[in-house]
Amino acid sequence: MSEDFKEKDYTTINFAVVGDLLNEWSSTCNSFKSEILKASENETFQKLIELDLVGSFPSKYDNAMLSVTSQIEGVISSASAYIQELEQTDLDIKNKIPKRKTPTTDEGDGVVGDSNTEINNLKAQLEFFKTISLSDLSEVLNLLNTIATDKKVSIDELLDDKTLGDEIKEKILQSVKISSEYKKFIEEGTTISSITALKSLINGKVPEAIGFDDSTTLVLKTYLNDFSSKNQLTYDELVGLDSNAKSLKTALNNLNGVSKVLPELDDDSFQRKINDIYMGDFEEGKEVDENVQSIIRNDIDVLSELSNIKYNDLLTNGDCLDLLKNGSMNLQRASVFANSLSNCKNVSKILSSLIK
C-alpha cells in the first residue's frame, strides 16, 4: 500500500484522554477561581476605599481576575464543543461504511452483524437524558454501580473499557425496571452512542438529568463545607486533594439517604411530610437522620431565598406546591447521582466541574 494511504498517528484522537484532560483543566480553573482574593474584600483596601485613596483599582482588579477566569472557561468550553463535534463526525462516518460480508459458505454469503447496522442516536439519547424520569435515572445508575462493583472497577473505568460496552447494553435491555422508552434508544443505537451518552451523564454533562441547578448546587456545597469542617478539612482540601478522595466518597455516599427519606412526588400529603421533616416533627421510630434532615432543611431555605418566598409559605401554601416538588425532585436526582459519583475514580474532577 502506498505511504499516502497508510493511517498516521496524527489522524486519531484518544477521546477518553482528551476528556480527562479537559476535566482537569476545568478543575484547575475552578480551584484558581475559588482561591482568588478579591481586593474589594481585603481589610486594608476597604479602609483605603473609605478614605478614597485607591480610586477604582479594587473593582478593576476584581473584574480583571473574573475576566481571566471567564476567558479560560470559554477556551475549555470551545475545546469541549470541538472534541464532541469530532467524536460525532467519527460516529457519522463509521455508520456510512458499507457492511462487511463473511466468506462464502455452502449456505451462501452471510453478513456480519455489527454496530454499523445500527443507528447513531447519540444526540437523541442526550436529549432523552434531559427529561429522564427519576425512576429510570435511579435504575440506570444503580445498574452501572452493580456492574462496576462486579468487575471490581469504578464506574468511569467501566465505561472506558471498550470490551464491556455490549455487556452494559445487554444488562440495560434485560432490566425489568427500566422503561421501554429508554430501551428503544438502546436497541436502535450503536454501542458507542449508548456508552458515550452514559459517559456524559456520569461526567455531569447533562445537569438537567442529575438535578444540578442553582439551588441544589448551593445545598451540596454547603453540605460538603460542613462535612469538611467536621473532618478538620477545608472544602478545597476535601474536593481537590487525592489524599482525601476516600473522605469525599464517604460524604457523597451519605447523600443517598436523602432520596430515601423524601416523600413520593404524587403523595397527597407531600407538603405536610416535607414540613414535618423541616420542623423535626417525627412519629416515634420514624425519626430522620440529623445530617439528612439538615440537607433537606437547607434545601428549603435555599429555595426560599432564591424565590423570595418565606419558607413557611413553601411548606404550607398550596400555590407553592409545584415549586417545592421541583426542588425536591432535583435534590433527589442530585443525591442519587452523588451516590454513584462516590464510585467514580475521577470524582474530584467531575464534582469540581459541577460545583463552582
Side-chain angles (χ1 to χ4, degrees):
M1 180 184 289
S2 169
E3 288 295 324
D4 293 337
F5 291 95
K6 287 185 177 180
E7 184 177 356
K8 307 290 195 305
D9 288 341
Y10 58 74
T11 64
T12 62
I13 293 176
N14 188 324
F15 291 107
V17 171
V18 174
D20 287 344
L21 181 59
L22 289 172
N23 283 334
E24 185 175 348
W25 287 357
S26 181
S27 176
T28 301
C29 181
N30 289 331
S31 296
F32 170 73
K33 190 175 181 179
S34 65
E35 293 172 3
I36 294 176
L37 300 177
K38 291 186 177 182
S40 59
E41 296 178 357
N42 179 271
E43 291 184 6
T44 301
F45 273 115
Q46 286 179 342
K47 291 179 180 179
L48 293 174
I49 291 171
E50 291 175 1
L51 297 172
D52 197 23
L53 295 176
V54 290
S56 59
F57 172 77
S59 61
K60 286 184 177 179
Y61 174 83
D62 292 346
N63 289 334
M65 296 305 291
L66 181 61
S67 176
V68 169
T69 56
S70 295
Q71 289 181 36
I72 295 174
E73 288 173 341
V75 170
I76 295 173
S77 177
S78 296
S80 297
Y82 180 61
I83 288 300
Q84 289 180 0
E85 183 179 346
L86 288 179
E87 191 166 14
Q88 184 67 47
T89 300
D90 273 7
L91 291 171
D92 291 341
I93 293 174
K94 180 180 179 181
N95 285 291
K96 291 179 180 178
I97 298 174
K99 293 177 287 186
R100 178 169 54 87
K101 293 185 177 181
T102 59
T104 302
T105 65
D106 292 339
E107 298 178 358
D109 288 343
V111 178
V112 175
D114 59 22
S115 61
N116 292 329
T117 65
E118 299 171 320
I119 300 171
N120 166 32
N121 62 355
L122 172 59
K123 288 183 178 179
Q125 290 197 46
L126 291 175
E127 283 300 313
F128 171 76
F129 279 159
K130 290 181 180 180
T131 57
I132 189 173
S133 68
L134 178 59
S135 174
D136 269 354
L137 176 69
S138 299
E139 292 304 326
V140 169
L141 293 180
N142 182 60
L143 188 62
L144 292 178
N145 269 305
T146 300
I147 299 174
T149 300
D150 289 344
K151 302 294 182 182
K152 294 181 171 57
V153 296
S154 64
I155 292 179
D156 36 6
E157 288 174 325
L158 173 75
L159 294 174
D160 281 338
D161 190 334
K162 296 180 180 179
T163 66
L164 298 175
D166 288 335
E167 181 177 345
I168 294 171
K169 281 188 63 174
E170 191 62 28
K171 293 287 186 182
I172 292 174
L173 292 174
Q174 290 174 350
S175 173
V176 297
K177 296 182 179 180
I178 294 176
S179 71
S180 57
E181 183 181 7
Y182 179 47
K183 287 181 180 179
K184 185 177 181 181
F185 285 107
I186 300 297
E187 289 173 338
E188 294 180 347
T190 61
T191 297
I192 192 170
S193 292
S194 299
I195 298 303
T196 301
L198 288 170
K199 283 184 181 180
S200 294
L201 181 67
I202 290 297
N203 287 330
K205 303 299 183 183
V206 195
E208 301 92 338
I210 57 176
F212 271 73
D213 59 3
D214 291 342
S215 178
T216 51
T217 299
L218 284 172
V219 171
L220 291 180
K221 189 164 187 177
T222 299
Y223 163 70
L224 292 173
N225 268 309
D226 291 343
F227 184 92
S228 301
S229 298
K230 291 177 181 178
N231 289 273
Q232 289 76 53
L233 297 168
T234 66
Y235 172 83
D236 289 335
E237 288 172 340
L238 176 67
V239 176
L241 297 180
D242 291 338
S243 57
N244 294 320
K246 186 175 181 179
S247 294
L248 177 58
K249 289 181 178 182
T250 298
L252 293 172
N253 187 57
N254 290 343
L255 283 167
N256 193 40
V258 174
S259 61
K260 295 178 180 179
V261 168
L262 288 169
E264 296 291 334
L265 296 176
D266 57 359
D267 192 323
D268 292 337
S269 56
F270 175 86
Q271 208 162 14
R272 179 185 62 77
K273 289 182 177 180
I274 294 291
N275 183 64
D276 289 346
I277 294 174
Y278 188 92
M279 303 303 295
D281 184 14
F282 308 117
E283 296 179 20
E284 186 175 349
K286 294 185 178 181
E287 294 83 3
V288 172
D289 178 82
E290 289 184 5
N291 289 327
V292 171
Q293 182 191 16
S294 176
I295 293 169
I296 295 174
R297 292 191 67 175
N298 189 30
D299 183 54
I300 300 300
D301 291 338
V302 170
L303 280 174
S304 172
E305 182 179 349
L306 293 178
S307 64
N308 290 317
I309 298 174
K310 294 179 180 179
Y311 80 89
N312 55 313
D313 286 335
L314 276 175
L315 298 172
T316 59
N317 190 329
D319 292 337
C320 300
L321 181 58
D322 288 341
L323 177 61
L324 186 63
K325 283 187 174 182
N326 184 62
S328 176
M329 167 68 80
N330 283 333
L331 185 61
Q332 289 184 67
R333 288 177 180 274
S335 65
V336 169
F337 173 73
N339 181 52
S340 294
L341 195 56
S342 67
N343 194 13
C344 287
K345 184 177 181 180
N346 292 326
V347 54
S348 295
K349 294 177 182 177
I350 298 171
L351 194 61
S352 294
S353 69
L354 286 166
I355 303 179
K356 302 176 182 178

